Amino acid sequence: MHTPDSKDSLIAEVAKAADLCMKPYVHSVFLENQLDDDSDDLIFKIQSRNIDGEREESMDIELEVYKSGNDVNMTISWKSLIDRPILWQGKHAVWMDSSSGVQCETPSYGKLFESLARKLRTVFKASLN
């Protein structure tokens, strides 16, 4: 069962992971849907700021986390750059074309997203089980 404390904890963990993996940006995180007992699907908006504290909307990220059986899967994409490939992360990383959903090559920013996904997958596996 999710509680308000677990919501705040998850948000803090997502922000910490984004700060670590997406340097030099600093991140604030918002949960776009409600935590409830009926659904373990979570959608986060990760907002980016540069080192001067100014918003960098082009670096904002959308993170969707969902359970599949006993496993945790997620998709990570740029919020405003909708034509860029999307990362699907389950047991392994798969990059998909954002328009067709067809598997594609890892983009230049791929290592950053994959690192973020690996860190977050551990956090979510512990909290959603």
Side-chain angles (χ1 to χ4, degrees):
M1 171 157 77
H2 296 292
T3 64
D5 287 341
S6 68
K7 173 186 169 186
D8 292 342
S9 176
L10 284 176
I11 288 171
E13 290 297 324
V14 171
K16 281 195 282 187
D19 287 352
L20 182 64
C21 297
M22 305 297 290
K23 289 182 181 180
Y25 299 97
V26 177
H27 300 86
S28 54
V29 176
F30 302 92
L31 188 60
E32 290 192 335
N33 62 339
Q34 297 298 315
L35 288 174
D36 58 39
D37 293 333
D38 297 333
S39 173
D40 286 323
D41 293 359
L42 304 171
I43 302 171
F44 295 91
K45 181 178 182 182
I46 303 172
Q47 293 184 338
S48 300
R49 294 186 181 277
N50 66 24
I51 57 174
D52 296 324
E54 298 166 351
R55 284 280 289 117
E56 292 280 346
E57 290 183 35
S58 66
M59 297 300 292
D60 288 356
I61 300 167
E62 185 170 274
L63 167 68
E64 182 177 352
V65 182
Y66 52 95
K67 281 182 75 170
S68 177
N70 290 327
D71 211 0
V72 175
N73 298 311
M74 64 184 69
T75 58
I76 303 177
S77 60
W78 296 111
K79 186 80 172 162
S80 63
L81 303 172
I82 58 174
D83 59 329
R84 295 228 178 141
I86 296 169
L87 172 64
W88 175 87
Q89 178 75 47
K91 290 182 180 178
H92 60 278
V94 176
W95 284 94
M96 302 179 300
D97 179 85
S98 61
S99 299
S100 67
V102 173
Q103 189 170 348
C104 64
E105 294 294 316
T106 303
S108 60
Y109 55 88
K111 298 281 185 216
L112 298 174
F113 272 23
E114 289 176 25
S115 174
L116 177 60
R118 284 190 303 274
K119 290 198 178 309
L120 291 175
R121 194 163 183 268
T122 303
V123 169
F124 290 115
K125 250 186 124 134
S127 72
L128 295 178
N129 286 327

